[in-house]
Amino acid sequence: MKRELSVPGIAYGGDYNPEQWPEEVWAEDMRLMREAGVTMVSVGIFSWALLEPKEGAYDFSLLDRVLDLLHAHGIAADLATPTAAPPAWFFRAHPEALPVDRDGRGLSYGSRQTFCPSSPAYREAALRMARALAGRYAGHPALAMWHVHNEYGCHNAECYCDESAAAFRRWLRRRYADDLTALNDAWGTRFWSQWYYDWEEILPPRPTGAVPNPTHQLDWRRFCSDELLSLYEAEREVLLEAAPAIPATTNFMVMHAFDALDYWRWAPKLDIVSNDHYLQSADPESEIDVALSGDLVRSLAGGPWLLMEHSTGAVNWQPVNRAKGPGELRRNALAHVARGADGIAYFQWRAAKAGAEQWHSAMLPHAGTDSQIWRDVVRLGADLRALAEVRGSVGTAEVAIVWDWNARWAMELPSQPSGELRFQDLVRAWYEPLWRAGVAVDFVRPDADLSAYRMVLAPSLYLVDDESAANLTGFAERGGTLAVGFHSGAVDENCHVRLGGYPGAFREALGVRTDELFPLLPGESVGLDGGGSGTLWSERVRLAGAESITSYTTGPLTGVPAVTRHALGEGVTWYLATLPDPDTLAALLHRVRTEAGVEPVRETAPGVEAVLRRGRDADYLFLINHTDRPAHVAVAPDATELLTGKALPGAVSVPAGETAVVREPR
């Protein structure tokens, strides 16, 4: 049973760390939170050292006062188990709980998340803390949600110590039903004399003289994700016993480079899926990453979710940390709401004056209330109050993009035909033209129910099992449109190459067969029919029922098909054997979706994002203008703009850099 958040409307707030400030500051915090419209804050995330000053001795006096103060001011608490940062006394008592990196170096305490996920001592201490916290606060009137840990795997997704090695072996014995021969077959250990005769011979994929076994590395990534998940589940169970009605979450990190955890496995374990998302300063169009992340998190959640952390301005951990431009704070937040977020929160409430994140922006910046950030924060609070009725509404999409962490891990292992392939970049390349066109997108597992979609895209699905491959091809056979990117279907779930020609699991459904791959060098491109070009990849494709749509016009494969189309059952399949340049890819995907009958959410000018959430009695159209000029969009004749409360006579004008949210009754 999924438990729901009791905070009404669109929740608003951030991480609150009152222990960093004198107690006389707290009253000002409450006053300013009320002014900003804050309704919920996360508390206690990094407070273990203060709550348990020595083993088994707890001091909850500070947290008692904070929770009472929040309740008195009508602010709900997302109460954290502070287990992401064990105190120094713990590591002095249990130095074996410190992690070991891939090169065998033991790491020291003095930061956060410097513990071994497989450490029995850490697990025992973490559960003891969770039990004490739950026992004290399960009935507190401020408590609205449990915040388990913080950003699992952010800094310690992998530990290579002997304790982790033993845990890895236990995980493998469960995975392979205690059959060592089955493991040897799955790992292909006849290659390079790697056959194992005893489970104790198996180690984590530590550095060796040559390239490690790919399936060994893949199973290690799976184990590391599962090992951290087991810690979450153990803490969650303790909290559930004490407070059966209180929902629990832990903050995912669905953003750019983080790939440590298989969130498809994690999401069903959370009452409410929440996510942290931060912009990359080097990304000139970071609004696309905001959208992609929001769509993926909504898909993981199967509906509304919470944005647990993002920044009001600059972060502090990139080479150059840029401030957000005019209106960007608001556009970012409302873009997340547009894509299903029923809560918006920041790290953190008050900007720190000391510590590792002292230059990270906050809702209340170093400059105080006489600042643009504060004015934007107050304005956003008013916006979210105006959008209360949007809560619970869902997205609508006829297009799905296949996303799989196993495929991502496997494709980015060493000794591939090209080391230039990046899963996230390939998916974004296909996602971007759909975003620009205003086409709604869900993300799906390869084995998901696809019956709700007209079109399914698999930009990068290097690894796929037989069941998932059949699921995707069956979708096309039943009348759907399936488009597949290069180097997909190449290996099975054990990273074994599918013999008989590429693209392996999909070649019959795509009506093509490739006998040799021709990956391109960095900066190299090949010409395509119609004046476009392809980068990263090319291959010698032979038609086996498909028709050629685009061919190479330069290089050793001149005249060979680069893009193909194939009638399959009642549907159609497409194959892209290269990465076309952005304009060519956009034109191609426009043709594919038009043939599939997929329309944009709303026709808008370039640079104006259109997203739809569907409620029980109305649709909510979010229009986010990323340009420097006003935009005019047609809407229903009985529509209302929620942020201003104004009735709209069939059209809305969205000023440059601003956002409109239009209710269209159904």
Side-chain angles (χ1 to χ4, degrees):
M1 179 186 71
K2 294 278 189 177
R3 296 154 187 84
E4 296 185 358
L5 184 66
S6 58
V7 179
I10 307 297
Y12 185 42
D15 286 15
Y16 183 40
N17 299 294
E19 66 272 15
Q20 298 176 8
W21 300 93
E23 194 160 346
E24 56 265 25
V25 174
W26 300 358
E28 182 186 37
D29 286 334
M30 296 302 108
R31 178 179 64 81
L32 292 176
M33 284 183 190
R34 294 289 294 271
E35 181 180 332
V38 167
T39 59
M40 182 174 73
V41 293
S42 298
V43 183
I45 292 175
F46 295 114
S47 58
W48 192 345
L50 300 180
L51 299 179
E52 190 180 10
K54 61 181 181 178
E55 185 168 354
Y58 299 101
D59 181 0
F60 292 114
S61 57
L62 184 150
L63 192 53
D64 287 345
R65 296 195 300 278
V66 169
L67 290 182
D68 289 346
L69 193 63
L70 290 171
H71 178 61
H73 288 81
I75 299 168
D78 170 34
L79 182 56
T81 59
T83 52
W89 63 254
F90 169 78
F91 291 113
R92 287 187 66 197
H94 301 285
E96 77 283 0
L98 287 164
V100 174
D101 72 9
R102 189 172 181 273
D103 293 321
R105 298 178 303 169
L107 304 184
S108 179
Y109 58 89
S111 182
R112 65 177 187 175
Q113 291 185 328
T114 48
F115 62 86
C116 166
S118 299
S119 165
Y122 168 79
R123 181 181 290 252
E124 179 182 347
L127 294 183
R128 189 175 64 240
M129 167 53 75
R131 193 169 290 110
L133 199 73
R136 190 170 188 90
Y137 297 112
H140 197 287
L143 177 64
M145 183 166 62
W146 296 113
H147 186 304
V148 184
H149 198 81
N150 185 72
E151 295 183 336
Y152 277 101
C154 183
H155 303 288
N156 65 337
E158 299 174 85
C159 174
Y160 292 82
C161 73
D162 290 341
E163 191 66 58
S164 296
F168 182 40
R169 289 189 287 270
R170 291 192 295 271
W171 183 89
L172 290 169
R173 294 183 82 143
R174 291 191 298 271
R175 179 175 178 82
Y176 294 102
D178 215 22
D179 185 345
L180 194 53
T181 299
L183 177 142
N184 278 297
D185 289 342
W187 286 17
T189 57
R190 289 174 176 83
F191 188 84
W192 279 1
S193 188
Q194 294 175 338
W195 189 274
Y196 295 103
Y197 290 94
D198 192 295
W199 291 100
E200 294 301 311
E201 295 169 359
I202 300 174
L203 297 172
R206 295 166 177 163
T208 64
V211 179
N213 181 306
T215 318
H216 183 178
Q217 295 176 84
L218 178 59
D219 270 351
W220 172 253
R221 296 297 299 269
R222 291 164 169 160
F223 156 75
C224 291
S225 177
D226 283 356
E227 191 75 344
L228 286 166
L229 177 56
S230 75
L231 290 176
Y232 166 80
E233 290 183 290
E235 287 195 33
R236 176 67 186 102
E237 186 61 32
V238 167
L239 302 172
L240 181 61
E241 289 175 5
I246 301 297
T249 191
T250 189
N251 38 345
F252 290 175
M253 290 181 290
V254 177
M255 54 182 176
H256 41 88
F258 185 79
D259 70 344
L261 306 180
D262 181 352
Y263 285 135
W264 288 123
R265 289 178 60 81
W266 281 66
K269 310 294 186 181
L270 277 61
D271 292 309
I272 300 170
V273 168
S274 65
N275 189 54
D276 294 354
H277 184 271
Y278 292 100
L279 307 183
Q280 287 284 89
S281 292
D283 186 348
E285 293 184 297
S286 56
E287 61 269 22
I288 301 174
D289 190 58
V290 171
L292 192 158
S293 174
D295 282 338
L296 179 50
V297 180
R298 184 193 66 248
S299 301
L300 288 164
W305 52 281
L306 300 179
L307 181 65
M308 189 60 71
E309 286 184 29
H310 67 316
S311 65
T312 57
V315 298
N316 72 305
W317 37 266
Q318 297 177 22
V320 176
N321 297 292
R322 73 167 181 86
K324 291 189 175 181
E328 193 173 5
L329 179 155
R330 186 171 185 252
R331 291 194 301 276
N332 288 166
L334 295 180
H336 284 295
V337 176
R339 287 181 155 76
D342 277 357
I344 295 295
Y346 291 93
F347 181 83
Q348 57 182 325
W349 161 251
R350 184 182 282 270
K353 65 179 181 180
E357 294 182 292
Q358 66 192 70
W359 290 109
H360 195 294
S361 61
M363 299 176 77
L364 183 60
H366 292 140
T369 57
D370 185 15
S371 63
Q372 187 60 51
I373 281 182
W374 176 252
R375 289 186 284 273
D376 289 345
V377 162
V378 173
R379 183 188 183 195
L380 179 61
D383 289 339
L384 297 179
R385 286 194 297 274
L387 297 180
E389 68 179 79
V390 173
R391 175 176 171 156
S393 58
V394 298
T396 59
E398 295 180 319
V399 177
I401 295 179
V402 180
W403 182 290
D404 184 61
W405 273 274
N406 284 267
R408 178 177 186 171
W409 294 335
M411 188 189 70
E412 295 181 6
L413 291 173
S415 296
Q416 283 283 338
S418 172
E420 297 297 309
L421 306 186
R422 297 290 179 270
F423 179 90
Q424 176 95 9
D425 294 343
L426 291 170
V427 171
R428 175 162 164 167
W430 287 44
Y431 176 87
E432 183 173 326
L434 299 174
W435 177 86
R436 294 190 188 282
V439 174
V441 171
D442 285 342
F443 287 88
V444 293
R445 301 165 54 120
D447 60 351
D449 179 2
L450 304 175
S451 58
Y453 304 105
R454 292 177 179 267
M455 183 169 85
V456 173
L457 309 178
S460 182
L461 196 60
Y462 168 69
L463 175 151
V464 65
D465 60 30
D466 292 344
E467 178 184 352
S468 297
N471 183 52
L472 292 166
T473 57
F475 164 77
E477 291 172 336
R478 293 186 295 272
T481 295
L482 173 68
V484 177
F486 61 81
H487 209 32
S488 293
V491 300
D492 65 15
E493 65 273 20
N494 293 319
C495 274
H496 294 195
V497 173
R498 294 179 178 274
L499 303 179
Y502 320 115
F506 299 117
R507 64 177 179 267
E508 292 184 7
L510 297 172
V512 298
R513 182 178 181 275
T514 293
D515 71 333
E516 193 164 3
L517 308 175
F518 291 77
L520 303 176
L521 297 172
E524 186 181 8
S525 64
V526 289
L528 300 175
D529 287 347
S533 62
T535 62
L536 285 180
W537 194 267
S538 61
E539 56 187 65
R540 188 161 55 215
V541 172
R542 188 180 75 218
L543 301 178
E547 59 176 313
S548 177
I549 301 299
T550 300
S551 299
Y552 303 109
T553 59
T554 62
L557 301 180
T558 297
V560 171
V563 177
T564 64
R565 182 183 184 277
H566 180 51
L568 181 69
E570 299 177 9
V572 175
T573 62
W574 294 75
Y575 184 52
L576 280 65
T578 189
L579 179 63
D581 65 84
D583 289 343
T584 301
L585 181 58
L588 177 62
L589 290 179
H590 177 81
R591 173 180 172 179
V592 174
R593 71 171 177 83
T594 300
E595 288 187 10
V598 174
E599 298 294 332
V601 167
R602 198 65 48 98
E603 294 292 341
T604 64
V608 179
E609 187 174 355
V611 190
L612 192 70
R613 288 184 67 164
R614 174 150 292 173
R616 183 167 51 191
D617 303 313
D619 290 341
Y620 301 100
L621 176 65
F622 287 72
L623 298 167
I624 307 171
N625 188 350
H626 298 285
T627 75
D628 58 2
R629 55 195 178 278
H632 305 280
V633 181
V635 298
D638 54 352
T640 303
E641 204 289 304
L642 293 180
L643 298 178
T644 61
K646 293 181 179 178
L648 301 172
V652 61
S653 180
V654 188
E658 295 289 346
T659 299
V661 183
V662 180
R663 182 212 291 130
E664 296 181 314
R666 242 191 357 269

